[in-house]
Amino acid sequence: MKQTQMRWRLPAVCALWQLLMIILFGVFVRYDEEADAHWPQTRVSHNISSDIENDFYFRYPSFQDVHVMIFVGFGFLMTFLRKYGFGSVGFNFLIAAFGIQWALLMQGWFHSLDPTDGKIKIGVESLINADFCVASALISFGAVLGKVSPVQLMIMTLFEMTLYAVDEYILLNVLGARDAGGSMVIHVFGAYFGLAVTRVLYRPRLEQSNNTSNYHSDLFAMIALGVRIGGAQSAVEEHGGGVHVQNATLAGGVALGTAAEMMLSTYGALIVGFIASTVSTLGFIFLTPLLERYLKVQDTCGVHNLHGMPGIIGGIVGAITAAAATEEVYSAEGLRASFSNRDRMPSVQGGFQGAALCVSLAIGLVGGTIVGFILKLPLWGDPADENCFDDEVYWEVPEEPEPSHSIIISEVPKNSTINGTQAIEHPPTL
Amino acid sequence: MKQTQMRWRLPAVCALWQLLMIILFGVFVRYDEEADAHWPQTRVSHNISSDIENDFYFRYPSFQDVHVMIFVGFGFLMTFLRKYGFGSVGFNFLIAAFGIQWALLMQGWFHSLDPTDGKIKIGVESLINADFCVASALISFGAVLGKVSPVQLMIMTLFEMTLYAVDEYILLNVLGARDAGGSMVIHVFGAYFGLAVTRVLYRPRLEQSNNTSNYHSDLFAMIALGVRIGGAQSAVEEHGGGVHVQNATLAGGVALGTAAEMMLSTYGALIVGFIASTVSTLGFIFLTPLLERYLKVQDTCGVHNLHGMPGIIGGIVGAITAAAATEEVYSAEGLRASFSNRDRMPSVQGGFQGAALCVSLAIGLVGGTIVGFILKLPLWGDPADENCFDDEVYWEVPEEPEPSHSIIISEVPKNSTINGTQAIEHPPTL
Amino acid sequence: MKQTQMRWRLPAVCALWQLLMIILFGVFVRYDEEADAHWPQTRVSHNISSDIENDFYFRYPSFQDVHVMIFVGFGFLMTFLRKYGFGSVGFNFLIAAFGIQWALLMQGWFHSLDPTDGKIKIGVESLINADFCVASALISFGAVLGKVSPVQLMIMTLFEMTLYAVDEYILLNVLGARDAGGSMVIHVFGAYFGLAVTRVLYRPRLEQSNNTSNYHSDLFAMIALGVRIGGAQSAVEEHGGGVHVQNATLAGGVALGTAAEMMLSTYGALIVGFIASTVSTLGFIFLTPLLERYLKVQDTCGVHNLHGMPGIIGGIVGAITAAAATEEVYSAEGLRASFSNRDRMPSVQGGFQGAALCVSLAIGLVGGTIVGFILKLPLWGDPADENCFDDEVYWEVPEEPEPSHSIIISEVPKNSTINGTQAIEHPPTL
């Protein structure tokens, strides 16, 4: 039987990672102006309007929303597995807590390096971006859930955060694509990265008995879905929430608004939501079993349906609406702003959006395959097939306490050696 | 045995509803200025202050709060039923997702129709109003919970959203009543509408065995109550939260503030909260059983206590404080603003507030009765009595997995009088 | 057997408390300007910018966050006890609802008494401060959880809110210490107050069988922890969240920012977080059992590890960073603002910070000891040892309903080779 050797390996990896982070943060990371020590001083002499310009108050509530979603929403959503609730929530914390630090560094090197002193300047916006980066790792986590050890998850996160920063840099800075909702950078990349990893780690004799849900764990996950739908994602699908996403998109200054008066005006958002939710539902029913049987992709949470295909639809819609943008609706200046301040014809921008989608898909698939092979190295304490989807390998699962309801059976045969009180009592049924 | 025929009827109704919405949104609904495609352009040339005037950022957090409450809070609060957690949360989503679209249309026709092009202009504020509209349907859902099919719920929502818009129009525009907290428009209307529906749908032989709670489902509901108390409603009752509601009320610009320095100043809010919570608690203990026995009203969640009576108290307090307002406290201009910009004596406004309460109650009761009879038509797949409060009719409830604890009984004596079915039966495993 | 006599004593105490509050609020408490009845009037003539200056909108979202955390977060976090979920959540409500009113009065007398009319003027900020005050009572609640009656909790809250206001006044107004994060005022005071109470109430023969967790209750608590980590506290520990706390701190205008460019710059926050989380974890493993065995401190939720020691670390870090502040980093004016506008050398301020930490610790320990002896008076219906950690004394816990799965075993033949483990096994009890 395989040893996951959690008792020393995980704490060692965590301590090492954290010490490395402290050193790297010491060398490279400083607060930006808004978090600077001088700020209290200026605050004294200015009224609250200056705080507004400081921009902190505006971004704070959305930071809270994103941050809570990252730390709880994802793991909560995965608690549907009957015996893997601790792993779903706990390893979610692990990925988020360690991933966000590495993401701050990687995104800092690519995006917010101050040329004057060679330091990364971080503020609230950096944290929001790092949260989004971690979101892609949590999406991949959904594909491999229950089948990898926490050390494997940390290795996966390390590489995935790095690739995310590369992918983001290519899409936004090199190709000049717009992706405010993160359809391509977060969802397509994260989903296909995770699917590639789980494909490489294919377990032909995977014990399915633990991979089941029960009533309360399903309810947990259902409520979490509602929170996300209602809150963080605010629901593209089928309830007019498209308007809100549209607004958020515009607020972020994105070219998705291209079609605001054309295809994606209200009913356009409803149509896209209708298609995406239909595709996603049909995917769960028909595609997931086929993926497992023929492509050997064991997608625990169905991230292909939740993130992969909807992400691709989002990318395609973005390309179409960019290509269909007109100066009449947007004005020349507006179009230019929507196209990352590059002088491009709408059809050219549409092409670049399409190319960005392909790049994100490719980096996800190739990167995930390579990382999958790295995770196969016999160093990271991967669980045996029979320990998959089971918290008991990693967590001290509470023993069932003394039963509170008894069944008394009038006679236990005299010569029986059964320990009756132990053997026949019910466990409490909470 | 009745057939709920969910397999084809619900998806068909949903698809039809959604297609109709896409067509109606295409014909009637456009984004308003703040969500317009031109906005990114202006955003480039302005600084963030223009965004403030754009008003989006101010309303966004409260939109999030309301939206999450609608999509999760209500359903979560209803999960106390032992075997109806999926139904509580899932049908809550159904009502919210479909209801909000129809509410946007109905409220748009009544309130935000642009006369120049005949289109409804929607923005974040429209979504908040639609969320409030849906709240009344979710209150009614609480009265009929577990006793109607999802198709019946959709029919009920369709009519209730329509009547809500009519009621709201009469109260606010015709009568000039103020109702920022929604005591009359949301709570009184929603509660008595639902009570009338459940009265018409009275089931004399209702199987009560499923209508029970268990430890975890009660805990779920209790936490949800806390979230609502603490968050969305911010607690009128007995913890000084009245101050906050008062503030929120003022922020909305409502005449409830009439008595700010008189009856409803801090201690006034405490007194009203004390009365409302006492009435509500006593209602659960004494009134609900009487309502069922003598008036044949089977109020699953006790919405009469949670929304009906407190709503009436809120309406009466609003009428009294309006009637007691004086120019000394308010100034002439302030009074006028508080009375919907109409030149009225405080006592006259108080009378109109009282009339508004009666109108809301009447529309709820009459509308609910009519809709109740519509729901009795044998078209909507209503569940049989023995299937009420049971998820298994509508949901694929997870099978209990292989047992993990064993009872080994080597022999049960032949002449034993054990009631085997009772004695050795499994406890339910939630 | 002891009688908790909840049937009349708790409602009587609650009604009495509430009536007293209504009278005291009537005599002493008024809304401040921002919540004044005149406000709607000015609102009519001004545009939304005036609302900004009104400051309401800025503080509102953080009020929501804090308020939800107080009303739900704490109790939710304590639901890990298998049979005490109702008590954890319900008594949390009780403490919060009654405590906040008394806190408004006590903090009002010390901090916001209007000298012109002798009234306490309350607004949103008062509510936030009262929420923080209640937080200390909820921390103490964690130490005594399951071992005291609700009446005892209310008596404890009454005294603790009073002492909190005294402690806060001494620290902030007399000593001029800065404590924006509440390390000393909330966490150190609350934790050691609760630990002193539980020490005095030591139960040598405490029934430990109910003091156990189960899978779902642990999961509940774990998710709650995530919400707090992610949301309210935004995580000092090991995930770069230090930045955010730093920002929040600065936003509050605190001297913790002293070291912003020195020790507590990014990596400093990581180091402090690393130390605090390590100390806390080791405390749970090694210190808590020692505390119980040798010091007779039965700390149900481990508040010493969660709040006591981290609070002390926070206080020490605050003292060190204050002492190490320089004019170069801060400018003379900034330093002065950071030191409560007093002309002090950094080393002097550091000394005062250290003194403040000791004062908070002392008031907590001495106050808790005295209140512990008050709670020992045989008036408050404390539960017997065997009723500790058990909801059934205080709540109508739902009966287990009729079993839904039956095993009927009419006869099991003597020589049968039944695979007992399969046939009569229990279902898992989650």
Side-chain angles (χ1 to χ4, degrees), chain B residues 52-53 55 58 61-62 65 76 82-83 209 212-216 218-220 222-223 225-232 234-235 237-244 246-248 250-254 257-258 260-261 264-267 269-271 274 327-331 333-334 337-338 341 399-414 420-422 424-430, chain C residues 14-15 18-19 21-22 25-27 29-31 34-41 43-45 48-49 52 56-58 60-61 63-64 67-68 71-72 76 79 81-87 89-90 93 96-98 100-101 104 122-124 127 214 216-217 220 391 395-414 420-430:
Chain B
I52 300 166
E53 283 152 20
D55 224 21
F58 282 105
S62 71
D65 289 349
F76 202 10
R82 187 172 54 86
K83 294 172 70 177
S209 74
T212 53
S213 62
N214 71 15
Y215 197 79
H216 270 114
D218 264 354
L219 199 54
F220 261 125
M222 205 161 158
I223 291 166
L225 182 68
V227 174
R228 284 186 55 196
I229 291 184
S234 270
E237 286 116 320
E238 66 199 43
H239 51 77
V243 183
H244 166 57
Q246 195 77 357
N247 270 324
L250 285 170
V254 184
T258 318
E261 290 305 283
L264 265 186
S265 165
T266 63
Y267 55 99
L270 290 187
I271 293 170
F274 189 60
E327 283 198 10
E328 283 148 51
V329 175
Y330 261 76
S331 82
E333 202 187 335
S338 301
N341 292 317
E399 283 299 308
E400 282 316 317
E402 285 300 301
S404 54
H405 301 269
S406 318
I407 313 175
I408 301 158
I409 304 179
S410 57
E411 185 183 14
V412 178
K414 274 184 181 172
T421 46
Q422 281 298 332
I424 325 181
E425 267 177 2
H426 280 252
T429 49
L430 17 162
Chain C
C14 288
Q18 195 55 44
L19 288 174
M21 286 302 129
I22 289 173
F25 270 63
V27 177
V29 183
R30 295 293 176 273
Y31 293 120
E34 80 183 6
D36 191 45
H38 292 278
W39 194 61
Q41 180 201 355
R43 193 171 167 278
V44 171
S45 51
I48 196 158
S49 312
I52 301 167
F56 173 73
Y57 286 96
F58 282 104
Y60 180 74
F63 167 62
Q64 289 280 56
H67 209 56
V68 168
F71 271 82
V72 187
F76 202 9
T79 51
L81 287 173
R82 185 172 55 86
K83 293 173 71 178
Y84 208 68
F86 288 3
V89 176
F93 288 178
F98 285 94
I100 213 168
Q101 299 181 55
L104 279 171
I122 61 172
V124 173
L127 280 172
N214 71 17
H216 268 114
S217 60
F220 260 124
D391 273 340
W395 303 86
E396 244 177 69
V397 175
E399 283 298 306
E400 284 314 317
E402 287 298 303
S404 53
H405 303 271
S406 320
I407 314 176
I408 300 157
I409 307 183
S410 54
E411 187 185 8
V412 179
K414 274 183 184 172
T421 46
Q422 280 298 335
I424 326 183
E425 268 176 1
H426 278 253
T429 50
L430 13 162

Side-chain angles (χ1 to χ4, degrees), chain C residues 12-24:
Chain C
V13 170
C14 288
L16 204 74
W17 184 308
Q18 195 55 44
L19 288 174
L20 195 74
M21 286 302 129
I22 289 173
I23 294 166
L24 288 172

Side-chain angles (χ1 to χ4, degrees), chain C residues 331-342:
Chain C
S331 82
E333 201 188 336
L335 261 193
R336 205 173 174 285
S338 300
F339 294 170
S340 306
N341 291 317
R342 299 179 194 217

Side-chain angles (χ1 to χ4, degrees), chain A residues 14-15 18-19 21-23 25-27 29-32 34-41 43-45 47-49 52 56-58 60-61 63-64 67-68 71-72 76 79 81-87 89-91 93 96-98 100-101 104 122-124 127 214 216-217 220 391 395-402 404-405 407 423-430, chain C residues 52-53 55 58-59 61-62 65 76 82-83 209 212-220 222-235 237-254 257-261 264-272 274 327-335 337-338 341 399-400 426-430:
Chain A
C14 289
Q18 195 55 44
L19 287 174
M21 286 301 130
I22 290 173
I23 294 166
F25 269 64
V27 177
V29 182
R30 295 293 175 274
Y31 294 121
D32 64 11
E34 80 183 5
D36 191 43
H38 291 279
W39 194 61
Q41 181 201 356
R43 194 171 168 276
V44 171
S45 51
N47 63 13
I48 196 157
S49 312
I52 300 166
F56 172 73
Y57 286 96
F58 282 105
Y60 180 73
F63 166 62
Q64 289 281 56
H67 209 53
V68 168
F71 271 81
V72 187
F76 203 10
T79 50
L81 288 174
R82 187 172 55 86
K83 294 174 71 178
Y84 208 69
F86 289 3
V89 176
F91 297 157
F93 287 178
F98 285 94
I100 213 168
Q101 300 181 54
L104 278 172
I122 61 172
V124 173
L127 280 173
N214 71 16
H216 270 112
S217 60
F220 262 125
D391 272 339
W395 303 85
E396 243 178 69
V397 175
E399 282 298 305
E400 283 314 318
E402 285 300 299
S404 54
H405 303 270
I407 314 176
I424 322 184
E425 269 177 357
H426 277 254
T429 49
L430 14 163
Chain C
I52 301 167
E53 282 151 21
D55 224 19
F58 282 104
R59 287 195 245 106
S62 71
D65 290 348
F76 202 9
R82 185 172 55 86
K83 293 173 71 178
S209 75
T212 53
S213 63
N214 71 17
Y215 197 79
H216 268 114
S217 60
D218 264 355
L219 198 55
F220 260 124
M222 205 162 159
I223 289 166
L225 182 70
V227 172
R228 283 184 58 195
I229 291 183
Q233 301 191 331
S234 268
E237 288 115 317
E238 64 197 46
H239 52 74
V243 183
H244 165 56
V245 168
Q246 194 77 355
N247 270 324
T249 304
L250 286 169
V254 184
T258 318
E261 290 304 283
L264 266 185
S265 167
T266 64
Y267 56 100
L270 290 187
I271 292 170
V272 172
F274 188 60
E327 283 200 9
E328 283 147 51
V329 175
Y330 261 75
S331 82
E333 201 188 336
L335 261 193
S338 300
N341 291 317
E399 283 298 306
E400 284 314 317
H426 278 253
T429 50
L430 13 162

